[in-house]
Amino acid sequence: MDALGGVFLFIFILIFLISNILFIKGLKRNKITRFKYKLIFSLMCIISVFVTIFFYIIFKSSVLVDLFKLEIDEESYTDIIITVIVVSILNTTANLILLKYYLKKISLKENTKTSEIELIGIE
């Protein structure tokens, strides 16, 4: 891996860490401290990177190359930089959407739990 690959790996790790820190802060705001939620969100962030890359490859090969007949040189640094910037922007927005949706789902789940005991019988 060259220096450019190291920089891009650092960017993806930074995106992963920032989205997880925001998620943990959101959990603390809702007073929820369960490890399983943190683990599930971390796995969703990792999966979102691969899904974003997969959809970008499909978009690039089917739309840009086949439909518009663009010639993309994958060896030049400018095309690699453009590709990584697009994928990182899409991944960041996907992680933020996942964060918002999953926090809302968790808060609804935790707030609807009741710990009350229903007594049946004559008072």
Side-chain angles (χ1 to χ4, degrees):
M1 179 185 334
D2 58 346
L4 189 63
V7 169
F8 294 146
L9 183 64
F10 177 73
I11 289 172
F12 283 119
I13 290 173
L14 193 66
I15 290 170
F16 174 76
L17 289 176
I18 289 173
S19 62
N20 280 313
I21 289 170
L22 290 174
F23 180 74
I24 291 170
K25 283 184 180 182
L27 284 178
K28 285 182 182 178
R29 199 175 321 122
N30 292 331
K31 297 180 179 81
I32 301 169
T33 57
R34 294 214 178 150
F35 180 72
K36 72 176 186 177
Y37 294 138
K38 297 172 188 173
L39 181 67
I40 290 172
F41 185 74
S42 296
L43 290 175
M44 287 190 323
C45 286
I46 292 171
I47 291 170
S48 74
V49 170
F50 294 115
V51 169
T52 306
I53 292 172
F54 176 73
F55 281 124
Y56 180 76
I57 290 171
I58 289 175
F59 176 76
K60 184 176 76 171
S61 66
S62 64
V63 176
L64 296 180
V65 174
D66 293 340
L67 190 63
F68 292 123
K69 306 290 187 219
L70 293 176
E71 294 182 17
I72 298 174
D73 181 26
E74 297 185 5
E75 296 296 321
S76 68
Y77 281 127
T78 57
D79 290 334
I80 294 172
I81 291 171
I82 290 171
T83 300
V84 171
I85 287 173
V86 168
V87 168
S88 64
I89 289 172
L90 291 174
N91 186 32
T92 303
T93 56
N95 283 345
L96 291 177
I97 290 170
L98 280 172
L99 179 124
K100 185 176 178 181
Y101 174 74
Y102 196 53
L103 276 176
K104 187 183 291 187
K105 183 178 176 184
I106 290 171
S107 65
L108 284 174
K109 181 179 178 182
E110 292 291 326
N111 289 337
T112 57
K113 285 185 179 179
T114 57
S115 59
E116 299 173 7
I117 299 174
E118 184 176 332
L119 298 175
I120 301 174
I122 302 172
E123 291 185 23

